[in-house]
Amino acid sequence: MAQDLAPLHAADTLADLVPGVGEDGRPRPDAPLVAVTGVTGYVGGRLVPELLAAGYRVRAIARNPDRLRGQTWYDDVEAVKADASEPEQIAKALDGAAVAYYLIHALGSGRKFESTDRHTALVFGQAAREAGVGRIVYLGGLYPEGEDLSPHLASRTEVGEILLASGVPTTVLRAAVIIGSGSASFEMMRYLTERLPAMTVPRWVENRIQPIAIRDVLRYLVGSAAMPSEVSRGFDIGGPDVLTYRDMMQRYAAAEGLPRRVIVGVGVLTPRLSSLWVSLVTPVPSGLARPLVESLVHEVVCDEHDIAAFVPDPPTGLVGFDLAVRLALQRIQELKVSTRWSSAAVTGAPSDPLPTDPDWAGGSLYVDERRIEVDASPAALWRVIEAVGGEQGWYSWGLAWRVRGIMDRLVGGPGLRRGRRDPRHLVVDDAVDFWRVETIEPGKLLRLRAEMKVPGLAWLELRVDPVNDGEGWSNPPTAFSHRALFHPRGLVGQLYWWTVYPFHGVVFGGMQRNIARAAERAERARTDQVRPAGGR
């Protein structure tokens, strides 16, 4: 089993298809250049290091490349700013690329997501053709022929057809449920199974599904870059097992050592009601849960395995469901979840960076600032700050935070259940409950941008400064600054600030004091450990 769970790059079993790296372990200067969109998302963020390991030069395309700075591969790629729906921007970003990966979709973005997907695909296809791109690779959804598809699956299918008609040789990979640490489908199944020993479920739990491990998805994506130019078509991709959703939950329970679940199917749960139920039980918000649930109404089983003619199966075979679950759980337990469904920003959430001009001309910027001295070293205080949110919580008035999280989910926000990718460490663009890391200076500054539903833009800033010079970075006391900032939108935003402001002393003041106490406890524990026996 240890060998089965060992880390494996797609390139390890695709040596005959990929360029391979140079003697320094990096892509060669003359290696093919591939452009990747969706790099801030779950699949795109994992595909980039796989392409680099395969020997491709990578151009990472994002609307805000600064969001990529926390990635381990950032210094190894060419980060380019472009919006795939803007013709001039995406045409420039695709210039010189041999292969372009289209990993964009408007899942959970509201009622107009189909038109958004359609427009972006049309713009991208035309830009790729005019830029002389040799191949487009698109990851879509597996769907049954001859059925009325859910809006999500119908849109994914239409995008594939648009790209195939673009005039650029295109590979469309059609996958059903992806099993991997951090995927929305896996998280939904995981939390339903772990939290509900008995449940009533919609009848779609009896529909057959052919899940696929994220490891095999990435392998197909990497291998598709080398397809012959005359190949332009779609391929069904799936793992070796065909299961019902009920089977998947029971087998997950077995993998986790949980008792067999009592699952009763009923016919009254519509996709809308099911998605609301899923959003209450799991971290996946209803805006994302609904298209996932609607897709499960269909049986999604591969009709062919033609992809093997171009990307041969690995010598040990495709990853089965049980092994895929064990791989995902191992990554979670080892805190090695590199990307998560929450990696993609919430559609419609503010993305504006905090204004740096103190006399900002963009309107009112309300500030609530607090500063205290903490009898702990900067390092001890920083460790507590960097671990806020998720299972650790927010160190003050837990009920108020939970109520605010529930209110946010009811209006379509991410709420608190989104949690964190890693419980101890943060990088730029990590999601932290209904916040996102905008800036992090390790040991000094953490700035969070709100993605909750508020009538304006909001930030929370936590700063650490030594009080003493010289040895101050390793010794108490430490200054702890805490700022809440809000740029209101209209009169409603103004009313919102003055309504919640009276509670800041309890919520943010308590948070600051409790973080300080936690740091002081950690400092005392550290001091006790290093104090010589019998010392005082």
Side-chain angles (χ1 to χ4, degrees):
M1 182 182 298
Q3 184 177 3
D4 289 340
L5 298 180
L8 182 70
H9 279 299
D12 294 339
T13 56
L14 293 174
D16 294 335
L17 291 179
V18 300
V21 295
E23 293 181 359
D24 60 355
R26 300 164 61 90
R28 297 180 177 88
D30 60 347
L33 173 66
V34 298
V36 185
T37 61
V39 289
T40 59
Y42 174 71
V43 175
R46 296 192 180 204
L47 176 61
V48 169
E50 294 291 337
L51 289 167
L52 291 170
Y56 289 103
R57 292 182 297 130
V58 176
R59 178 178 293 158
I61 301 173
R63 284 177 293 184
N64 182 5
D66 286 341
R67 292 182 59 193
L68 307 176
R69 291 187 180 276
Q71 297 289 352
T72 57
W73 41 259
Y74 179 78
D75 292 334
D76 298 321
V77 305
E78 178 191 355
V80 172
K81 181 177 181 178
D83 185 333
S85 65
E86 295 294 332
E88 292 185 5
Q89 293 182 26
I90 194 62
K92 185 176 179 180
L94 294 178
D95 184 45
V99 180
Y101 285 88
Y102 188 84
L103 303 174
I104 301 170
H105 58 76
L107 180 63
S109 63
R111 297 178 181 178
K112 297 182 179 179
F113 78 91
E114 298 104 321
S115 60
T116 300
D117 275 340
R118 184 181 307 116
H119 170 75
T120 307
L122 286 167
V123 169
F124 187 90
Q126 180 177 343
R129 183 177 67 251
E130 294 176 352
V133 171
R135 175 165 299 277
I136 296 172
V137 180
Y138 168 60
L139 178 62
L142 189 61
Y143 62 91
E145 296 285 353
E147 292 187 19
D148 291 331
L149 301 178
S150 68
H152 165 54
L153 271 184
S155 180
R156 300 295 290 271
T157 302
E158 181 185 24
V159 167
E161 293 170 347
I162 289 172
L163 296 176
L164 285 167
S166 66
V168 178
T170 298
T171 301
V172 175
L173 302 177
R174 299 183 289 252
V177 172
I178 296 176
I179 305 298
S181 58
S183 83
S185 297
F186 179 75
E187 293 281 283
M188 190 171 82
M189 178 189 66
R190 172 190 173 202
Y191 280 93
L192 286 175
T193 307
E194 289 184 355
R195 293 180 174 176
L196 299 176
M199 64 190 94
T200 56
V201 294
R203 288 180 180 170
W204 50 252
V205 297
E206 306 299 345
N207 289 346
R208 295 184 307 149
I209 302 167
Q210 193 164 351
I212 183 169
I214 183 63
R215 176 182 289 190
D216 286 331
V217 173
L218 294 172
R219 189 174 180 278
Y220 283 134
L221 285 168
V222 173
S224 293
M227 282 190 179
S229 59
E230 66 270 16
V231 177
S232 186
R233 53 163 292 189
F235 297 92
D236 294 350
I237 60 172
D241 301 311
V242 176
L243 307 164
T244 66
Y245 205 84
R246 179 196 296 272
D247 293 334
M248 290 166 60
M249 287 193 288
Q250 296 292 17
R251 288 170 73 159
Y252 177 89
E256 270 285 71
L258 301 171
R260 185 173 178 82
R261 282 10 211 167
V262 178
I263 303 172
V264 180
V266 295
V268 296
L269 288 174
T270 64
R272 180 177 182 277
L273 290 175
S274 296
S275 63
L276 292 174
W277 164 66
V278 167
S279 69
L280 289 174
V281 177
T282 79
V284 182
S286 58
L288 179 57
R290 183 165 184 176
L292 293 176
V293 167
E294 288 175 339
S295 298
L296 293 172
V297 172
H298 305 289
E299 288 204 336
V300 279
V301 179
C302 296
D303 289 329
E304 42 85 7
H305 189 53
D306 297 350
I307 187 71
F310 304 99
V311 186
D313 291 348
T316 56
L318 298 171
V319 178
F321 178 82
D322 295 330
L323 177 56
V325 169
R326 293 203 303 273
L327 284 165
L329 292 175
Q330 176 179 281
R331 300 295 182 270
I332 293 169
Q333 292 161 4
E334 294 178 351
L335 306 181
K336 293 181 179 178
V337 181
S338 57
T339 63
R340 201 163 167 258
W341 62 269
S342 56
S343 298
V346 175
T347 304
S351 58
D352 306 49
L354 178 66
T356 54
D357 183 356
D359 298 320
W360 183 46
S364 301
L365 184 65
Y366 293 128
V367 180
D368 180 349
E369 187 166 6
R370 303 164 190 273
R371 186 178 188 274
I372 61 174
E373 286 194 4
V374 183
D375 189 20
S377 65
L381 177 58
W382 178 255
R383 281 194 292 270
V384 178
I385 288 174
E386 194 176 9
V388 296
E391 295 296 325
Q392 181 61 57
W394 293 91
Y395 289 92
S396 72
W397 204 5
L399 177 60
W401 284 94
R402 288 193 293 273
V403 170
R404 184 64 182 87
I406 292 171
M407 292 172 60
D408 191 53
R409 289 177 72 86
L410 289 176
V411 295
L416 292 180
R417 286 184 179 166
R418 186 167 63 169
R420 299 170 46 121
R421 177 187 57 83
D422 185 300
R424 293 196 295 268
H425 303 292
L426 294 173
V427 297
V428 170
D429 207 45
D430 264 353
V432 184
D433 295 328
F434 45 40
W435 306 89
R436 190 171 293 275
V437 178
E438 179 176 283
T439 302
I440 185 166
E441 299 176 18
K444 298 180 180 180
L445 172 68
L446 173 63
R447 181 181 298 134
L448 303 172
R449 183 182 69 249
E451 289 191 330
M452 67 190 83
K453 299 291 186 179
V454 291
L457 308 175
W459 296 267
L460 179 63
E461 188 176 275
L462 308 176
R463 181 182 293 275
V464 176
D465 292 299
V467 173
N468 302 314
D469 295 330
E471 299 298 320
W473 283 109
S474 59
N475 295 308
T478 302
F480 176 20
S481 300
H482 179 293
R483 290 202 306 169
L485 305 103
F486 184 68
H487 169 50
R489 184 181 298 115
L491 178 61
V492 175
Q494 302 271 352
L495 293 175
Y496 174 83
W497 171 261
W498 293 115
T499 299
V500 300
Y501 183 76
F503 298 97
H504 282 195
V506 177
V507 176
F508 292 135
M511 176 183 176
Q512 187 180 39
R513 291 189 296 272
N514 289 330
I515 286 177
R517 289 168 185 158
E520 290 169 348
R521 288 194 298 271
E523 183 68 28
R524 287 194 296 270
R526 183 186 70 85
T527 303
D528 290 343
Q529 288 179 349
V530 301
R531 181 181 293 132
R536 297 183 61 83

